[in-house]
Amino acid sequence: MTTTARRTPEPGTWLGIPAFPEAAKAELANDQQRGNLRHATTTIRAKRVTRASEVDDWEDLRTAAAQIKDRVARHLDDYLIQAEKAMTEAGITVHWARDAADANAIVADIAKAKGVDEVVKIKSMVTQEIDLNEHLEAEGIAAWETDLAELIVQLGHDLPSHILVPAIHRNRTEVREIFAREMGLYGRPAPENITDEPAELAEAARLHLREKFLRAKMAVSGGNFIVADTGTLVIVESEGNGRMCLTLPETLVSVVGIEKVLPSLQDLEVFLKLLPRSSTGERMNPYTSFWTGVTPGDGPQDLHVILLDNGRTNVLADPEGRAALRCIRCSACLNICPVYERVGGHAYGSPYPGPIGAILGPQLRGLEGENERALPFASTLCGACNDVCPVKIPFTDILVHLRHKAVEHKTAHHPTGEQALMKGAAWVMADGSHLATVQTGSRLAGRIFKNRWLGKMPIPLAGRWLRARDVEAPPTQTFRQWWKKNQGDHR
Amino acid sequence: MSAREDVLQLIRRATADVTERNPDVDVPVEWTYGRALPTADVIADFVEKVEDYKAAVRRCPEVGAAETIIEALSALDARSVVVPDGLPDAWVQALSGAGFELHRDEPVLSHAQLNSIDAVLTTAAVGMADSGTIALDHGDGQGRRALTLLPDRHIVVVREDQVVSDVPEGMARLAPALRARRPVTWLSGGSATSDIELSRVEGVHGPRHLSVVLVAGAQ
C-alpha cells in the first residue's frame, strides 16, 4: 500500500485516551488548560445567568421544551416520516443512515458524484461524532472546518474539548502560534507580524477561509432543528461561516441526528428563546438560517439530508435514559460542571464531554468499553447541570441509573472483592449465632490492641482504606454482653 | 433491509412502551404559542436591544428615509452598494443622485463581485424587540441570501409596524413565508465570535457592520 500525502492537518485521536479516572489525572496536571478553562467557564456562566433571568417565563419555557422533546422522542417514527415527506416535496434528497459508516459513505459518494475534492464545513457535533473529516480525507476529499474554534482545533492537530467552543482549552497565545505555523500550509498564511489580539486572529481566519468559501462547490453541515410539518431546517450560528456554507456552494449535505425533529414551526419559538441564552449567554445568536428545500436562483440547488441513528435508538430504548435525547447541544451543563471545569473535555474520550457526554456516550456506544463504563462516575452528582439545562434533562438521575448498569455489567463478568465481602457479611447477619461467632474474633482483637488506635496496616483492601484514616480498636465487649450486664437488672 | 426500514424498526421497538398513539394526548405541552410580551414601548425596546449588539440605529420619518440611508452608508465609508429588486425607487434614485456606485443583481452578480462591493441595502420582514433580531424573508427589497452575506456592511431598513415584542410573535408573522418555502435569515447584530478566550470579536465572515434605519409609521 502506498501512502499519499494528507490534504488536511492530521488530527489528534481519541484512540488510546485512557478511561476517565486515568485521563482526568493527566489533564488535572495541565495548569495552563485549567487556567484557560476557569476563565472561560466563569465568564460564560455569568452571562447565562444574566440572560436567563431577563426572561420572566423561563421556567415555563424549559417545561415546554422538555415536553416538546419528549413528545417527539415517543413518536419519533411518525415525525421522521412526516419530515421526510415534507423535505422530499421541497426538493431535498433524504437519506437514512444506521451508523457512522453509512453516513460517511453517503457524504463521500455525493462528493464523488459531484467531482469535488474539497468541502467546506459548518461546525457540527454530529460530524465529529462520526469522524467524517477523517473518512473524507481517506477518500481523497479535503474537509475544511470554517468555524473559528474548529479551525483552531483542526490547524492545531488537536481534538475538540467543548461542544460550543471546541478550542476553549487554548488561550490567545497558543492560537497565534497555531495560525502562524499552520495556515500557510493549507492556504492563505497568517499575516507576518500577527499578534495575539483576538480581533487580529479572527481577521486572519476571515481572510484564510474566504478563499475557501468563494471556491467551494460543496458544503457539509449538521442541523439544529428539522420541522416535521414543513421540512424546514434551522441552523443557529454566530460568525456567518454557516451562512457562507449554506448559501454559496452548489451542493449542501446536512447530517442530522434523528432526534432533532420538532413537530411544527411554532415550536421553534420555544427553542430559539432557550438556546442562545443557555449556550452563549446572548439574547439571540447573530445569525439563524431557515431553509425549506431548494429555492430556485438562491443558494444550493442540490440539497441532501442524512437522517442518522448511530446509537440514538439505543438511548431511546431505555425509558430512564431517554431524556438525554432532549439535548439541544447548548453546553450549559459543561460550563457549570465542577468536574469539567477542572479536567477539560479531552478526558471524556469523545466529542461529547461534560455531564451530557457522561450520560450520552455510554448510552450511544453501549457499556462494552472501559471508557464508557467509567463515564457515569465522572461526576460529583452535585446537580448543577439539572438546574441549568434548558430542556430539563435529569442528569443526576440518569447518571445514577447508568452507574447501576455499569456496575451490573462489571459484576456480571467478574465478581469483585466487594461482592465476596458482602456475601460474607450476608452470612454473618443471617443468624445471631453467626454474629456471635464473628464477635468472638473481634473481642480477641480488641484485647490485643488494648484501646490503641489502628493506623496503617499491611492488609490488602483494609491497608488502602487505613492509609487515610485512623480507627479505634474493636471493643473488648460486644453490645449483647454489655446489655446483659447493665440493663438486665432493670427488667 | 434498507437503512430507512432498519432505523424505523429500531425506533418502533425502542418506543414499544408508548401505547397512546396521539402525540398531543400522550405528552401535552403546557405552552401558549405566539404570545406577545407586555412591553411598555416595543420600539424603544427594539432600539435598545439592537444597539446592544453594537449595531447603529437611526430613526427617521418616512419622508426622511432616503436621506438617512445615505447618512448610514457614508458613516460606514461605503461607496459601492448592492440594491436588490423591490427597493423603493425613491431610495435608489437618491443614492444614485448622491454619487453612490449602484449594483443590481441582474445579470446575477458573481460571488467574487459581491465580495468586492462595500455594502448592501435591504428592507426587512420582521423586527423582534426582546432579542433585537431582524428577520429577512428574502422577499421584495431583500434579495437572495448571498447579497446580505458577502458585502462587509449591511444597511437594513425596518418599518416600525414590522416590529413585534418578541420571538413568538415574530415566528407567527414569518410562518406564511416559511410555509411558502421561502428561506428566512435572522440577524442579531453583525457577525461575531467568542471563540478565543470567550472575548467577543465583532465581525468574522458575515457583514461586520449592521446599520439599522428605523422608519416611523405604517406603510
Side-chain angles (χ1 to χ4, degrees):
Chain A
M1 199 179 106
T2 54
T3 47
T4 48
R6 287 186 60 95
R7 306 171 130 262
T8 55
E10 181 163 14
T13 172
W14 298 107
L15 292 175
I17 290 188
F20 186 85
E22 205 184 317
K25 244 177 237 172
E27 298 292 333
L28 276 170
N30 186 343
D31 295 348
Q32 176 76 69
Q33 173 173 274
R34 283 176 65 186
N36 297 347
L37 283 167
R38 189 171 54 244
H39 167 70
T41 53
T42 313
T43 309
I44 201 160
R45 277 205 297 271
K47 285 170 73 179
R48 191 204 71 84
V49 170
T50 310
R51 292 297 170 239
S53 57
E54 281 178 358
V55 179
D56 288 338
D57 50 2
W58 185 253
E59 290 307 315
D60 297 341
L61 272 170
R62 290 177 71 210
T63 304
Q67 289 167 337
I68 294 166
K69 279 285 186 175
D70 284 354
R71 179 184 277 185
V72 168
R74 291 168 66 86
H75 301 273
L76 191 54
D77 52 339
D78 293 340
Y79 287 117
L80 282 172
I81 290 169
Q82 195 190 358
E84 179 189 39
K85 181 168 179 280
M87 287 192 283
T88 308
E89 283 170 2
I92 293 176
T93 309
V94 179
H95 309 257
W96 295 69
R98 301 173 191 91
D99 53 22
D102 277 1
N104 288 332
I106 295 166
V107 180
D109 286 348
I110 296 168
K112 284 180 199 164
K114 294 282 164 186
V116 302
D117 61 358
E118 68 171 358
V119 301
V120 284
K121 281 188 67 211
I122 308 180
K123 174 180 153 33
S124 91
M125 291 311 297
V126 75
T127 59
Q128 291 276 3
E129 175 189 324
I130 62 174
D131 220 358
L132 176 67
N133 293 10
E134 280 308 275
H135 182 84
L136 292 178
E137 172 74 40
E139 298 272 348
I141 301 156
W144 304 115
E145 292 293 346
T146 63
D147 169 72
L148 178 55
E150 290 284 7
L151 179 71
I152 296 166
V153 170
Q154 188 175 35
L155 290 175
H157 304 275
D158 201 354
L159 291 166
S161 69
H162 190 279
I163 290 176
L164 186 78
V165 272
I168 195 171
H169 58 295
R170 300 286 199 182
N171 62 24
R172 60 184 70 189
T173 314
E174 294 173 299
V175 175
R176 194 204 74 87
E177 277 165 22
I178 290 166
F179 279 11
R181 190 179 67 227
E182 300 279 340
M183 270 186 172
L185 301 175
Y186 303 98
R188 181 170 175 152
E192 283 272 324
N193 304 315
I194 187 165
T195 74
D196 62 4
E197 268 308 303
E200 266 187 58
L201 296 166
E203 177 69 15
R206 177 186 176 98
L207 297 172
H208 177 81
L209 288 172
R210 187 146 294 214
E211 61 181 26
K212 292 192 164 76
F213 285 133
L214 291 178
R215 70 171 186 236
K217 297 271 180 281
M218 173 167 156
V220 177
S221 83
N224 291 94
F225 308 103
I226 293 179
V227 180
D229 71 345
T230 57
T232 304
L233 273 99
V234 182
I235 283 189
V236 300
E237 50 135 355
S238 292
E239 296 171 8
N241 64 308
R243 293 179 63 196
M244 291 277 185
C245 293
L246 298 176
T247 312
L248 302 185
E250 295 153 13
T251 304
L252 170 65
V253 183
S254 305
V255 188
V256 192
I258 50 175
E259 81 284 16
K260 297 282 185 170
V261 181
L262 294 180
S264 76
L265 280 177
Q266 62 179 14
D267 293 309
L268 287 169
E269 72 181 47
V270 173
F271 294 93
L272 290 173
K273 284 199 77 169
L274 281 169
L275 181 53
R277 291 178 197 260
S278 300
S279 62
T280 51
E282 294 168 296
R283 294 188 180 100
M284 188 61 74
N285 49 289
Y287 298 130
T288 306
S289 297
F290 306 68
W291 72 101
T292 312
V294 175
T295 307
D298 183 354
Q301 299 298 298
D302 188 15
L303 290 172
H304 297 260
V305 167
I306 301 174
L307 297 169
L308 175 73
D309 178 356
N310 206 35
R312 284 159 177 76
T313 46
N314 296 342
V315 189
L316 193 61
D318 181 350
E320 285 179 76
R322 189 180 280 166
L325 290 181
R326 292 180 195 158
C327 177
I328 52 173
R329 312 284 188 257
C330 74
S331 74
C333 62
L334 275 63
N335 300 325
I336 199 97
C337 178
V339 177
Y340 176 86
E341 182 179 329
R342 282 158 186 84
V343 303
H346 292 160
Y348 294 80
S350 94
Y352 300 108
I356 187 61
I359 61 170
L360 206 51
Q363 297 200 80
L364 285 176
R365 299 190 297 276
L367 289 164
E368 291 309 310
E370 199 195 341
N371 186 308
E372 281 71 28
R373 284 197 303 277
L375 284 174
F377 298 90
S379 163
T380 63
L381 300 183
C382 75
C385 44
N386 299 344
D387 296 338
V388 296
C389 179
V391 288
K392 287 191 170 174
I393 296 173
F395 282 94
T396 47
D397 291 354
I398 298 177
L399 284 166
V400 171
H401 171 65
L402 293 174
R403 284 180 184 194
H404 181 76
K405 288 178 86 169
V407 170
E408 274 190 334
H409 184 281
K410 200 171 143 197
T411 54
H413 294 80
H414 315 279
T416 59
E418 191 185 355
Q419 277 185 312
L421 218 68
M422 288 300 167
K423 216 171 167 185
W427 178 81
V428 173
M429 299 300 175
D431 191 311
S433 70
H434 296 173
L435 183 64
T437 311
V438 175
Q439 284 174 333
T440 318
S442 86
R443 283 201 318 269
L444 193 71
R447 287 197 204 106
I448 293 168
F449 286 105
K450 290 201 180 104
N451 290 329
R452 270 184 293 128
W453 284 64
L454 311 187
K456 276 188 248 179
M457 257 187 222
I459 303 171
L461 285 175
R464 206 168 139 192
W465 196 76
L466 286 165
R467 221 162 39 201
R469 296 168 181 86
D470 286 329
V471 182
E472 261 187 279
T476 54
Q477 167 184 29
T478 67
F479 177 73
R480 286 167 183 231
Q481 287 173 323
W482 178 88
W483 182 264
K484 245 180 207 166
K485 199 171 151 198
N486 293 298
Q487 299 292 314
D489 307 341
H490 299 290
R491 253 187 294 189
Chain B
M1 206 158 39
S2 71
R4 180 182 189 275
E5 290 312 309
D6 276 347
V7 174
L8 285 172
Q9 196 180 74
L10 285 169
I11 292 169
R12 283 169 191 148
R13 210 176 293 161
T15 51
D17 60 313
V18 179
T19 48
E20 171 58 62
R21 296 313 308 160
N22 183 349
D24 302 0
V25 175
D26 185 40
V27 188
V29 175
E30 301 157 57
W31 182 255
T32 311
Y33 290 94
R35 246 185 325 194
L37 283 183
T39 312
D41 185 342
V42 171
I43 301 296
D45 192 34
F46 178 72
V47 172
E48 183 197 322
K49 302 291 172 61
V50 172
E51 284 179 341
D52 198 50
Y53 297 121
K54 297 188 185 158
V57 182
R58 289 177 172 78
R59 298 182 65 171
C60 61
E62 205 182 335
V63 287
E67 211 171 282
T68 314
I69 291 164
I70 289 169
E71 192 188 303
L73 282 164
S74 306
L76 291 173
D77 245 350
R79 297 304 312 151
S80 54
V81 187
V82 183
V83 282
D85 284 348
L87 283 178
D89 287 339
W91 301 354
V92 179
Q93 277 165 18
L95 288 184
S96 165
F100 287 92
E101 178 192 319
L102 302 185
H103 298 266
R104 292 196 171 272
D105 195 23
E106 182 63 57
V108 173
L109 293 162
S110 72
H111 296 159
Q113 281 171 312
L114 279 171
N115 194 37
S116 67
I117 297 170
D118 295 343
V120 58
L121 167 67
T122 71
T123 58
V126 177
M128 290 167 256
D130 186 59
S131 62
T133 302
I134 294 164
L136 308 179
D137 63 11
H138 303 281
D140 275 354
Q142 297 165 57
R144 60 192 167 100
R145 285 172 285 173
L147 298 195
T148 47
L149 177 61
L150 288 168
D152 200 27
R153 307 159 184 86
H154 183 187
I155 317 296
V156 58
V157 184
V158 182
R159 293 192 323 267
E160 284 185 0
D161 67 337
Q162 291 178 315
V163 179
V164 297
S165 68
D166 195 12
V167 169
E169 267 184 293
M171 274 309 308
R173 282 215 193 177
L174 289 164
L178 287 164
R179 290 193 189 282
R181 296 190 185 139
R182 293 243 290 273
V184 166
T185 307
W186 286 12
L187 320 166
S188 305
S191 161
T193 183
S194 301
D195 279 345
I196 300 169
E197 294 185 17
L198 284 175
S199 55
R200 188 178 165 100
V201 174
E202 315 289 329
V204 196
H205 303 297
R208 277 182 283 198
H209 302 281
L210 180 70
S211 198
V212 181
V213 174
L214 186 56
V215 180
Q219 196 178 39

